């Protein structure tokens, strides 16, 4: 095994405090999309975190009806490729396609549709957008073949603690399909997901409240108060 290459690190005082994703994610193969190699995706719609993290891309999916103004704000503010949620569960049919087209026009790197999305919607969506369609997979019972035939480009596996198991099952039948997967918050769980066959990992960062708590605790321990 070759010696690990030294990687120079450049930091600035104002950008030193940022959200750093677990280094183990670098062991993933990555997915090359439009020339960019993506191994890590930060799961957030918080612009402050997006602008202060070292992820390769953003998974901007949220539990509300997708709105173009939110998509526009995220893409405009982000210095990373953005994969935008466009519904598929509660939001269905032509509205999904309209949202996806709008996201593509704004510069999204891909669109993400929810697990309940009908295959007919995927087929229609594939005819309308050129960017990758990412279909969310939450169960090992999903007909992956039909999803891919209908137009899905990338699988986004989100099965909680069953994620590695679902990824491994998919990888056995589809050796070359691109797979993004949730890896959890520990190096061990992320490594397990990568070893199962995930090409890229989504990571949920700590919320602003948690980050502020850590900062305030540090401030309280300072030896002086201004």
């Amino acid at each position: 095994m070759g010696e690990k290459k030294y990687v120079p690190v450049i930091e600035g005082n104002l950008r030193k405090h940022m959200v750093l994703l677990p280094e183990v994610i670098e062991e993933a193969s990555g997915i090359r999309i439009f020339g960019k190699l993506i191994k890590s995706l930060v799961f957030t719609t918080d612009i402050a975190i997006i602008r202060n993290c070292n992820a390769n891309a953003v998974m901007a999916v949220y539990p509300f009806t997708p709105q173009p103004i939110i998509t526009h704000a995220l893409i405009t503010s982000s210095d990373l490729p953005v994969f935008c949620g466009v519904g598929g569960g509660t939001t269905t049919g032509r509205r999904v396609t309209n949202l996806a087209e709008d996201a593509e026009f704004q510069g999204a790197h891909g669109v993400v549709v929810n697990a309940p999305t009908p295959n007919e919607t995927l087929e229609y969506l594939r005819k309308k957008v050129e960017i990758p369609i990412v279909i969310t997979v939450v169960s090992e019972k999903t007909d992956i073949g039909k999803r891919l035939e209908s137009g899905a480009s990338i699988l986004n596996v989100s099965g909680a603690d069953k994620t590695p198991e679902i990824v491994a099952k998919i990888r056995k039948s589809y050796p070359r399909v691109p797979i993004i997967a949730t890896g959890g918050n520990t190096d061990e769980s992320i490594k397990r997901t990568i070893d199962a066959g995930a090409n890229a990992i989504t990571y949920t960062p700590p919320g602003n409240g948690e980050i502020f708590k850590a900062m305030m605790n540090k401030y309280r321990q300072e030896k002086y108060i201004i």
Side-chain angles (χ1 to χ4, degrees):
M1 184 180 230
E3 185 179 346
K4 188 176 181 180
K5 291 184 178 180
Y6 167 71
V7 179
V9 177
I10 308 297
E11 294 180 333
N13 289 331
L14 299 180
R15 290 292 296 268
K16 189 171 183 178
H17 180 68
M18 62 190 306
V19 175
L20 300 176
L21 276 62
E23 291 186 8
V24 68
I25 295 177
E26 286 299 313
E27 295 184 22
S29 67
I31 304 171
R32 195 172 297 280
I33 305 174
F34 302 138
K36 297 182 183 296
L37 184 64
I38 295 173
K39 295 185 178 184
S40 60
L41 299 96
V42 62
F43 186 83
T44 185
T45 54
D46 189 313
I47 292 173
I49 288 178
I50 290 171
R51 295 290 302 188
N52 291 278
C53 76
N54 67 336
N56 301 139
V58 179
M59 180 71 78
V61 179
Y62 48 92
F64 309 105
T65 300
Q67 298 178 47
I69 193 169
I70 296 176
T71 299
H72 298 179
L74 290 168
I75 294 174
T76 301
S77 304
S78 176
D79 55 352
L80 305 170
V82 178
F83 292 79
C84 299
V86 293
T90 304
T91 306
T92 58
R94 187 173 294 276
R95 184 176 180 86
V96 173
T97 304
N98 292 340
L99 290 165
E101 287 184 300
D102 182 78
E104 180 177 32
F105 296 155
Q106 292 298 321
H109 223 63
V111 290
V112 185
V113 290
N114 297 332
T117 304
N119 290 324
E120 293 76 18
T121 299
L122 286 178
E123 292 172 0
Y124 189 66
L125 195 54
R126 180 73 285 161
K127 295 174 183 177
K128 294 294 183 177
V129 297
E130 195 262 342
I131 55 178
I133 299 170
V134 183
I135 180 69
T136 302
V137 176
V138 298
S139 169
E140 68 277 4
K141 297 178 181 179
T142 301
D143 188 340
I144 300 300
K146 195 63 179 175
R147 288 310 212 185
L148 297 173
E149 289 173 15
S150 298
S153 313
I154 300 171
L155 305 178
N156 174 40
V157 181
S158 181
D161 57 347
K162 289 187 176 180
T163 295
E165 178 185 330
I166 297 172
V167 170
K169 181 178 179 181
I170 295 171
R171 183 58 72 210
K172 183 177 181 181
S173 300
Y174 302 93
R176 293 187 177 277
V177 66
I179 299 176
I180 298 171
T182 53
N185 291 316
T186 68
D187 286 359
E188 293 74 19
S189 63
I190 292 170
K191 183 72 164 58
R192 192 159 58 248
T193 305
I194 292 172
D195 290 343
N199 303 107
I201 297 293
T202 56
Y203 176 78
T204 303
N208 277 338
E210 295 175 71
I211 296 173
F212 260 122
K213 182 178 180 180
M215 289 179 64
M216 294 304 291
N217 285 338
K218 179 177 180 297
Y219 293 155
R220 293 184 186 107
Q221 292 172 10
E222 296 290 347
K223 294 181 181 179
Y224 58 89
I225 299 177
I226 296 176

